[in-house]
Amino acid sequence: MALFNRKNNDAPAATTVAVDPALAALTGDYAIDPAHSSIGFTVRHAMVTNVRGSFGEHEGSLKLDGSDPANSAASIDVRIASVDTGIADRDGHLVGGDFFDAEKFPLMTFRSTAAEQLGGDKYRVTGDLTIKDVTRPLAIDLEFNGSATDVYGNERVGFEGSADILRSDWGLTWNAALETGGVMVSDKVKLNFDISAIKAAAPQA
């Protein structure tokens, strides 16, 4: 099911694309459900293994327009102090001045600016990622997992995806050299997204 516009440079300018009724039915505003969503990361540690972490506190919204998918948008706010890697001392280091400086910069934010279909249920959403006081463009590859009505009557949509970044692009440059060569923490970080969002109730007439 196509949620966003499929680019077709060969189509005549006057071509009208038929709207998929199932897609049009998804049109609306959605709130990300933090209890059933996760935003995390994976980073190489000491050149030999991966450390995984997640942010327990986040909120966001989606605007889906099934009739004109170019109008779709996403917004996410992540509370840095909620980082959890399973090691309290490491989490404390991450929220401190060497890394995120969460006291001064409590939020990491993403605001979408464009979206496109890559094929099937795979998409790419482009936007602005802000960490600390640095804002840079980010493209997130997503897969649309479908829609459903849960046991409480909520209409839900689901997405999962990822993006690779260089943390140094956002000023996260702390590191330590290893005696055997290399560094303690890789510059490359993989961001992981698993999103469930609930459709807002239609306003009463």
Side-chain angles (χ1 to χ4, degrees):
M1 180 183 294
L3 274 184
F4 303 105
N5 278 343
R6 179 192 295 274
K7 291 186 175 180
N8 186 351
N9 296 326
D10 298 326
T15 298
T16 300
V17 178
V19 175
D20 181 345
L23 172 60
L26 298 180
T27 296
D29 295 324
Y30 293 75
I32 292 176
D33 177 9
H36 297 94
S37 302
S38 64
I39 297 175
F41 58 89
T42 305
V43 62
R44 183 75 72 179
H45 177 262
M47 310 295 291
V48 297
T49 190
N50 289 319
V51 168
R52 293 174 174 81
S54 62
F55 296 94
E57 297 180 27
H58 51 83
E59 61 183 16
S61 61
L62 305 176
K63 176 185 176 183
L64 302 183
D65 188 333
S67 299
D68 187 1
N71 290 329
S72 297
S75 174
I76 300 174
D77 292 342
V78 177
R79 188 159 295 280
I80 294 297
S82 69
V83 66
D84 182 7
T85 66
I87 303 294
D89 286 347
R90 181 165 58 207
D91 297 342
H93 192 195
L94 288 173
V95 302
D98 284 343
F99 284 95
F100 288 108
D101 197 0
E103 184 173 348
K104 186 175 181 181
F105 304 101
L107 295 179
M108 173 173 63
T109 66
F110 177 78
R111 302 290 184 265
S112 68
T113 56
E116 61 179 304
Q117 185 180 16
L118 302 179
D121 286 333
K122 298 185 183 299
Y123 304 88
R124 179 167 293 146
V125 177
T126 303
D128 294 324
L129 176 67
T130 299
I131 302 175
K132 297 176 78 171
D133 56 351
V134 179
T135 299
R136 294 180 63 89
L138 176 69
I140 304 172
D141 287 341
L142 294 167
E143 183 170 356
F144 176 52
N145 288 337
S147 61
T149 301
D150 67 22
V151 295
Y152 303 105
N154 298 311
E155 296 181 58
R156 291 179 178 266
V157 293
F159 299 87
E160 61 180 314
S162 63
D164 291 333
I165 68 170
L166 297 179
R167 61 187 178 92
S168 59
D169 287 344
W170 280 267
L172 303 176
T173 57
W174 181 91
N175 228 320
L178 301 175
E179 292 183 3
T180 54
V183 292
M184 182 70 72
V185 185
S186 69
D187 192 19
K188 181 180 178 181
V189 179
K190 184 174 184 178
L191 303 177
N192 305 298
F193 304 87
D194 198 342
I195 302 298
S196 178
I198 298 173
K199 190 175 186 179
Q204 297 294 324

